Amino acid sequence: MCARCLELNRRALLLGGGVAAASLTTGVAHARVRPQDMVPLVGRGFQPTDKDELGLWNEMRRVEEEIAGSNLLIQDPKITGYLRDLIGKVGGPAAQDFRIYLARIPEFNAIMFPTGFAVVFSGLLLRMRNEAQLAGVIAHESGHFLRRHMIRSWRDQKRKSDIFAIGAMLAGVGGAGAGVYLGDYVQLAQLGTILSLFSYSREMEAEADALGARLIAQSGYPPVEMANIWQQLIGEETASARYRRKHRDRGYSLFATHPAPESRMADLRADAAEVTVPGAAYDDGRARYLATIGPIRQMLLDDQVKLNDPGASEYLIQTLAQDGWNGLLRFYEGEVWRLRNRRGDDARAEQSYAAAVLYPDAPAGAWRWHGISLMKVGRSAEAKAAFARYLTMKPDAPDAAWVRQMMG
């Protein structure tokens, strides 16, 4: 399938997924939901009994079959096992029933479905600076399930919408489950439409935040990391808007569906303060997290930079670098400037590539572009050494013949 088609259908899924993740009512004062008041409404082995919820679960089982067979999924056993263990740790009393999938979609999002399966987007993994932050997002999504937000939203939508149209959409996404295979991307596009039916109120989001903070604190993670995530996302969206001179119309993002991010961040910090036990030891799991995603981190950065959003990409790289620069981050900093291609960006990119090759983890591409930069200024001996390093690291590179020609 063409890359453009792939992106369009990815975004069809994102459109609904973000709405499913959260939808807030603006302009209304609200009382903060306290973590101590959040009690899970379901536990392990929960099964619906009401007729409408039974029907919803049957259709969502078919949706899960589609997602489980999608070629958008990342099938790395180490990473998927890590995610299963994490949701099992912070998912509350129903955690052992949860299933979790990782989709290669370079956006900040995660979705919990009514039957207890979750989809994490690869862009979320890139943005998390430690395990505690990822645990916070997963605990938040688990909170939606534990507080039965999906069925509450579903019933509210049925009261407001054409019940026959809703039924038709559900029947459409269930095609594969009924033996009619329509293709991964077609099914995921339909899924985006269906997820738009599950919109969460401000109160539901506050409940999921409060319960999520409680769950990660009980699991030994610093709960303040949930507020830190939101702060990072605000900064990224602001940087993107500054570059584009407007805020992105991204109905599929967690940020876009929350119109009062500063207020929410303040509530998250208050939640964290309430559930933090003075003197208790908390572990953010940073080293464990980075060791797990290390094999795919270059892919995650590559996907992000190719979104053609230099404001967001540069902010994200600078944020990740707060924990220490390395060759991979320096290289993709250079890629942001090279692909933006404004006046002066070529010099900025060359500086980044030169900085990248000083680190032992510099990717092959850093040596390639550093060699080209050196060749442009007549430093041919150094350029040839850089090209040689590139070919050593990537002997089967598609441009290997061209690089050898450049080396003379």
Side-chain angles (χ1 to χ4, degrees):
M1 189 171 192
C2 70
R4 177 62 178 161
C5 296
L6 170 61
E7 186 61 25
L8 288 172
N9 283 289
R10 279 180 172 175
R11 293 182 181 275
L13 169 60
L14 290 165
L15 175 62
V19 177
S23 179
L24 301 182
T25 303
T26 60
V28 180
H30 71 289
R32 189 174 66 83
V33 176
R34 301 184 65 186
Q36 66 187 39
D37 298 328
M38 287 298 95
V39 178
L41 301 179
V42 296
R44 185 172 185 178
F46 171 76
Q47 291 292 321
T49 55
D50 294 341
K51 184 177 179 180
D52 63 339
E53 192 171 6
L54 283 168
L56 178 62
W57 273 52
N58 285 336
E59 297 300 343
M60 288 299 110
R61 289 188 181 102
R62 296 177 182 179
V63 170
E64 184 172 2
E65 288 178 15
E66 281 297 301
I67 290 177
S70 170
N71 61 7
L72 284 180
L73 294 187
I74 296 174
Q75 302 286 5
D76 185 299
K78 180 180 178 181
I79 298 174
T80 54
Y82 172 83
L83 291 174
R84 283 195 300 272
D85 290 344
L86 191 56
I87 200 171
K89 184 176 181 180
V90 301
Q96 299 308 310
D97 296 329
F98 290 159
R99 290 86 62 205
I100 190 164
Y101 302 92
L102 176 60
R104 188 177 177 181
I105 303 174
E107 299 287 345
F108 183 111
N109 216 341
I111 311 164
M112 175 64 77
F113 288 76
T115 49
F117 75 93
V119 178
V120 170
F121 291 7
S122 58
L124 178 67
L125 296 189
L126 176 61
R127 286 160 174 80
M128 300 298 95
R129 292 169 63 182
N130 53 54
E131 186 174 285
Q133 292 191 347
L134 179 58
V137 174
I138 291 175
H140 170 92
E141 293 301 320
S142 300
H144 284 309
F145 182 88
L146 296 172
R147 295 291 297 176
R148 290 177 53 74
H149 291 161
M150 293 86 166
I151 188 60
R152 288 161 55 187
S153 295
W154 166 247
R155 287 169 175 162
D156 184 59
Q157 288 294 327
K158 284 205 301 181
R159 285 192 295 270
K160 299 176 182 177
S161 307
D162 181 349
I163 190 169
F164 295 106
I166 292 172
M169 282 191 288
L170 284 176
V173 83
V180 180
Y181 180 68
L182 300 179
D184 293 317
Y185 298 104
V186 173
Q187 288 293 319
L188 289 175
Q190 290 177 340
L191 178 57
T193 303
I194 289 173
L195 286 174
S196 66
L197 299 174
F198 301 101
S199 58
Y200 299 147
S201 68
R202 187 187 200 104
E203 181 183 4
M204 290 178 183
E205 286 298 331
E207 288 185 2
D209 280 343
L211 184 52
R214 182 175 170 182
L215 289 171
I216 67 167
Q218 290 172 346
S219 300
Y221 296 110
V224 72
E225 290 295 349
M226 290 185 69
N228 291 342
I229 297 166
W230 204 242
Q231 184 174 12
Q232 292 164 205
L233 186 56
I234 291 171
E236 181 182 330
E237 292 288 329
T238 301
S240 175
R242 186 182 302 117
Y243 171 76
R244 295 172 179 269
R245 294 187 173 87
K246 65 177 182 178
H247 283 280
R248 290 176 290 181
D249 180 13
R250 302 177 70 177
Y252 50 78
S253 76
L254 287 173
F255 185 91
T257 51
H258 292 77
E262 291 80 8
S263 173
R264 185 183 185 199
M265 186 170 65
D267 286 350
L268 284 166
R269 293 202 182 281
D271 291 344
E274 287 189 14
V275 299
T276 299
V277 178
Y282 295 100
D283 177 19
D284 67 9
R286 172 173 163 74
R288 183 169 54 247
Y289 178 69
L290 292 181
T292 301
I293 70 163
I296 65 167
R297 204 178 195 201
Q298 182 170 354
M299 178 192 78
L300 300 179
L301 282 163
D302 198 67
D303 288 348
Q304 169 63 34
V305 169
K306 289 177 179 176
L307 288 177
N308 191 30
D309 188 350
S313 295
E314 175 61 13
Y315 177 87
L316 176 56
I317 289 170
Q318 292 289 337
T319 299
L320 295 175
Q322 290 178 21
D323 298 311
W325 282 101
N326 56 43
L328 198 60
L329 291 178
R330 283 297 186 192
F331 169 65
Y332 280 102
E333 178 187 49
E335 289 292 88
V336 171
W337 302 132
R338 182 179 68 83
L339 294 172
R340 192 178 74 162
N341 197 30
R342 289 185 175 180
R343 179 178 295 180
D345 282 349
D346 55 346
R348 295 186 184 96
E350 289 168 4
Q351 291 173 0
S352 295
Y353 298 141
V357 299
L358 298 178
Y359 293 90
D361 69 330
W367 288 101
R368 177 187 187 274
W369 283 105
H370 183 50
I372 292 173
S373 301
L374 293 169
M375 189 68 74
K376 284 167 59 178
V377 296
R379 296 164 62 179
S380 58
E382 295 170 87
K384 290 177 181 179
F387 286 143
R389 182 67 178 271
Y390 169 65
L391 292 175
T392 298
M393 296 176 70
K394 203 170 182 180
D396 297 327
D399 62 347
W402 174 82
V403 171
R404 292 189 181 94
Q405 183 179 3
M406 291 287 289
M407 294 171 65

